[in-house]
Amino acid sequence: MKRIVSDKAPAALGPYVQAVDTGSTVYCSGQLGLDPATGVLPDGVVAQTHQSLKNLQAVLTLDNVVKTTVFVQDLGDFGTVNEIYAQYFHEYPARSCVQIAALPKNALVEIECIAARG
């Protein structure tokens, strides 16, 4: 098992790593829309969704993603998040999207994924 840490994505906010590679599967921790250079969340769900997906791309290639989980603070943002999400995947993976009470740093969106190796 190999732990994956990318300096192009925000550092973990707690006792975890950005991803774990088991050899056949990569499990990626949830990525907030934090700017990796400043650690600051941009304003709004549009900017945070784009940055969350860019942060995932900094950890692994999205081409091999088989499952994502999208956490949103407001399910009313579902359509907006979907439009942005669709721009990042050539083949859509399986997905769940759930509204939650709160995210770290009061973020509006967090996305995690599971990817197959090659």
Side-chain angles (χ1 to χ4, degrees):
M1 196 165 42
K2 176 183 169 191
R3 276 129 178 81
I4 299 172
V5 178
S6 171
D7 60 359
K8 293 180 177 25
L13 297 177
Y16 59 91
V17 294
Q18 293 162 333
V20 175
D21 185 342
T22 67
S24 60
T25 307
V26 178
Y27 298 88
C28 193
S29 298
Q31 288 292 317
L32 300 174
L34 293 169
D35 180 314
T38 64
V40 174
L41 279 169
D43 290 333
V45 71
V46 170
Q48 287 186 31
T49 303
H50 276 292
Q51 190 61 55
S52 176
L53 289 158
K54 289 175 185 175
N55 292 343
L56 282 175
Q57 286 178 316
V59 176
L60 76 166
T61 177
L62 298 183
D63 292 340
N64 295 332
V65 171
V66 296
K67 170 73 167 77
T68 64
T69 305
V70 179
F71 304 95
V72 293
Q73 245 190 34
D74 182 355
L75 208 49
D77 291 329
F78 185 73
T80 300
V81 170
N82 275 343
E83 288 177 21
I84 296 161
Y85 179 97
Q87 297 172 28
Y88 287 82
F89 291 96
H90 301 145
E91 298 287 330
Y92 298 139
R95 186 184 83 178
S96 300
C97 182
V98 295
Q99 178 175 313
I100 48 89
L103 287 166
K105 296 195 172 248
N106 203 31
L108 302 174
V109 64
E110 179 175 2
I111 304 172
E112 68 178 26
C113 67
I114 300 170
R117 266 285 171 219

